Amino acid sequence: MSKFLKGTMILLAAGLVTRVLGFINRIVIARSIGAEGVGLYMMAYPTFILAVTITQLGLPVAISKHVAEAEAVGDARKTKKILVVSLATTISLSLIITPALIILAPYLSETLFTDPRTHLPLLAIAPVVPIIAVSSVIRGYFQGKQNMKPAAYSQLLEQAVRITLIAAMTTAFLPYGIEYAAAGAMLASVVGELASLAYLLTAFKLKKKFRVRKQFFQFIQSGKATFKELMSVALPTTGSRMIGSLAWFFEPIVVAHSLALAGVTTIAATQSYGALTGFAMPLLMLPSFITHALSTSLVPAISEAYSKKNMKLIEYRLQQALKFVFISGGLAVVILYVLAEPLMNIIYDSSTGAGFIKLMAPFFLLYFFQGPLQAALQALDHARAAMINSLIGAVVKIAVIFALASQPAFGINGVAIGMLVGFVLVTLLHMATILKKISFSFHIRDYLKTFIIMGLSGWAGYFTYPYLHDYSMLISIIICISVIVIVYFILLLLFGLLKKHELRQIPWIGGFLSIFALK
């Protein structure tokens, strides 16, 4: 099995567990502090993402790309210099961003978010910035070497620690007020990130073949060329993420003000935004661990092929990724659309947000494409084009949100539509850019077959669920999902979209096929 597939499978397994644990975190938070508390948490969270984006400066992707290229030619000194320059850069930025976040917290909460209760959650996230700054550099190093295990294990540890603390901290702080409980949820995230960093540092110390401290300052002084190389990828990459983070940062601000224009009160706006971003969106985003795993593995894999000018391998890797995303994403969309209301009831004990899932799920197929396409552009030294696409999408998204959410006829649904317009536009722009940059075949017939399979398996789910009323809701959901999955994969085999040699490349399925001698 290639390094690309092996790394992807490791990240997929870890991503699935991490996403499930993260989802459990959201469930615990939602059940502990309700839609209003989740709204406070989600209003502060984009600020945290923005602070981390500025601190990372797009270096994880740049490190992964340049370490992969250095490894391809066996240049260990270049790898060491990349690490030293990256650590110096991110640590310096974190020492600026962390105090700035603390100082600006009162202004952000009272003026921009129009809800002073977001002050404490904003303060609670400040300590995590320098922690993530260092851990992101080490993750980028391991990913560049196409060793995905440390990054995967660190994610699992971070979520395990967070889920252990989340219930205790929200419960402990809730008697003091809903804003204290939201801050407690943020603090649990800080401790989880600290545990993740401790693991990564240990793994790095055990696996590295050189000393970082030796000649540290010498590498910083002579690292101007390395810094420029890193910035050639990092700045456009961080530009894309910065645009997304700024759009997310301004999103709750625009939502709060536009809903106020529509006549919605502050508390009602916070509850509605909490239902959309805290209830519906985590469920819709649950399958994106597949996209993240593929994107992370694609950058070093395509960078290595690009350094060797192997354009056929580049197209093959991208075709592999997009096919996997479309098949897995299609199944997720069918399940979410068919079982939107039962899933919301069983998870949150409320159907609030089910309408958002019905509205948004079909369009999330294009969202799942966005990560691999952007990773390919970054690996091919076209990160600037990806940044411009992200900028266009972000501007259009914020404009649509304001235009629609300020109208009483749309309200919070206008926010959901604005989100959809934003990520659909960015994905289409990324695809158009890829088609201009490399020779790439678009297999329309396979995509049409997948849409037919999605429709048939969705119909099977709709037909099955009403006959399961004698069972509990949980059992009914499990049976219905099982029916959809079985029908979906049988149709994939019948339509020729999934072949046995592709199944054998997946370790646990390949072993199962070998047992039954399916050759």
Side-chain angles (χ1 to χ4, degrees):
M1 183 183 294
S2 67
K3 283 185 178 180
F4 169 67
L5 284 175
K6 185 178 179 182
T8 301
M9 291 306 164
I10 290 170
L11 289 175
L12 276 174
L16 174 59
V17 177
T18 302
R19 191 54 61 93
V20 170
L21 289 176
F23 199 64
I24 292 171
N25 275 329
R26 294 292 181 90
I27 295 169
V28 172
I29 294 171
R31 287 179 177 267
S32 300
I33 58 180
E36 189 177 354
V38 171
L40 292 175
Y41 179 89
M42 293 307 298
M43 280 187 166
Y45 196 74
T47 306
F48 156 67
I49 296 298
L50 177 60
V52 169
T53 301
I54 296 171
T55 305
Q56 288 181 339
L57 204 65
L59 281 168
V61 173
I63 295 166
S64 176
K65 173 179 168 56
H66 286 290
V67 167
E69 291 174 353
E71 289 289 311
V73 296
D75 192 346
R77 181 178 175 82
K78 178 74 174 292
T79 299
K80 183 176 180 179
K81 188 175 284 191
I82 290 168
L83 263 177
V84 169
V85 172
S86 301
L87 283 169
T89 303
T90 54
I91 291 171
S92 299
L93 284 170
S94 68
L95 294 177
I96 298 170
I97 299 301
T98 305
L101 185 57
I102 294 170
I103 293 168
L104 291 173
Y107 172 77
L108 292 172
S109 59
E110 293 178 14
T111 307
L112 296 183
F113 295 131
T114 68
D115 195 332
R117 295 175 299 171
T118 57
H119 183 209
L120 285 175
L122 286 170
L123 289 178
I125 61 177
V128 83
V129 175
I131 298 170
I132 292 181
V134 178
S135 63
S136 64
V137 171
I138 301 174
R139 281 196 184 100
Y141 164 76
F142 280 121
Q143 288 163 3
K145 293 177 73 68
Q146 298 194 53
N147 178 6
M148 304 301 172
K149 288 183 180 179
Y153 294 155
S154 67
Q155 290 173 6
L156 291 174
L157 180 62
E158 185 264 326
Q159 287 290 350
V161 171
R162 184 189 294 188
I163 201 169
T164 303
L165 294 176
I166 198 87
M169 297 194 82
T170 51
T171 303
F173 285 107
L174 189 57
Y176 300 99
I178 198 104
E179 63 271 31
Y180 284 88
M186 288 291 188
L187 286 173
S189 301
V190 175
V191 179
E193 291 289 353
L194 187 60
S196 174
L197 175 59
Y199 171 79
L200 283 170
L201 288 172
T202 304
F204 177 72
K205 189 173 181 181
L206 292 173
K207 293 181 180 295
K208 69 181 174 65
K209 297 178 181 179
F210 49 79
R211 294 182 180 179
V212 174
R213 285 177 293 180
K214 189 177 181 182
Q215 300 177 315
F216 186 88
F217 292 103
Q218 181 184 337
F219 274 127
I220 292 176
Q221 291 170 358
S222 63
K224 187 176 181 180
T226 302
F227 181 77
K228 285 183 177 179
E229 287 179 5
L230 288 169
M231 289 301 105
S232 68
V233 176
L235 288 179
T237 300
T238 202
S240 296
R241 292 185 177 178
M242 181 71 71
I243 289 162
S245 299
L246 281 170
W248 199 10
F249 171 76
F250 283 113
E251 184 181 295
I253 299 169
V254 173
V255 168
H257 288 279
S258 56
L259 288 179
L261 289 174
V264 181
T265 64
T266 299
I267 292 176
T270 302
Q271 289 176 337
S272 298
Y273 189 68
L276 172 60
T277 59
F279 288 7
M281 287 298 289
L283 198 57
L284 289 164
M285 297 287 286
L286 187 61
S288 65
F289 72 90
I290 298 169
T291 298
H292 176 73
L294 286 164
S295 302
T296 303
S297 299
L298 265 180
V299 172
I302 290 182
S303 296
E304 185 179 18
Y306 189 56
S307 67
K308 297 175 181 178
K309 305 300 179 186
N310 191 342
M311 304 308 289
K312 287 185 178 179
L313 181 59
I314 291 171
E315 183 183 358
Y316 177 68
R317 291 286 184 237
L318 188 54
Q319 290 282 12
Q320 274 186 309
L322 295 183
K323 180 180 179 180
F324 193 26
V325 164
F326 196 62
I327 289 174
S328 57
L331 176 59
V333 165
V334 170
I335 292 171
L336 289 172
Y337 190 87
V338 171
L339 297 171
E341 194 164 325
L343 285 170
M344 295 299 287
N345 279 317
I346 199 71
I347 293 169
Y348 300 115
D349 197 25
S350 169
S351 60
T352 303
F356 296 132
I357 293 176
K358 290 273 190 180
L359 171 65
M360 302 177 79
F363 298 94
F364 258 73
L365 265 177
L366 287 171
Y367 174 80
F368 298 145
F369 270 98
Q370 192 176 124
L373 291 173
Q374 182 158 316
L377 287 172
Q378 290 163 348
L380 293 168
D381 292 329
H382 295 302
R384 186 173 178 272
M387 179 187 71
I388 294 170
N389 295 342
S390 298
L391 175 60
I392 295 169
V395 171
V396 171
K397 167 188 166 183
I398 294 298
V400 172
I401 287 176
F402 184 78
L404 296 183
S406 59
Q407 303 299 318
F410 286 96
I412 193 66
N413 286 325
V415 180
I417 294 170
M419 291 177 176
L420 291 176
V421 170
F423 69 67
V424 168
L425 179 59
V426 171
T427 301
L428 293 176
L429 289 172
H430 281 352
M431 179 61 76
T433 307
I434 286 284
L435 292 173
K436 287 181 181 179
K437 302 298 181 182
I438 64 171
S439 175
F440 187 81
S441 301
F442 199 70
H443 303 299
I444 297 175
R445 185 179 296 178
D446 287 348
Y447 287 99
L448 290 176
K449 286 180 181 179
T450 307
F451 280 125
I452 294 170
I453 291 168
M454 288 172 62
L456 292 174
S457 55
W459 176 83
Y462 269 122
F463 179 79
T464 302
Y465 191 75
Y467 291 95
L468 302 173
H469 54 79
D470 290 336
Y471 300 95
S472 68
M473 184 178 290
L474 178 60
I475 298 299
S476 298
I477 289 172
I478 292 172
I479 294 172
C480 191
I481 290 176
S482 300
V483 169
I484 292 171
V485 170
I486 291 168
V487 171
Y488 193 84
F489 277 98
I490 288 173
L491 290 173
L492 284 175
L493 291 168
L494 291 175
F495 277 76
L497 293 176
L498 197 60
K499 297 178 175 60
K500 290 175 184 176
H501 77 271
E502 293 174 326
L503 291 174
R504 286 196 201 97
Q505 293 180 346
I506 304 173
W508 51 92
I509 297 179
F512 179 81
L513 291 175
S514 298
I515 292 172
F516 290 93
L518 293 176
K519 297 180 181 179

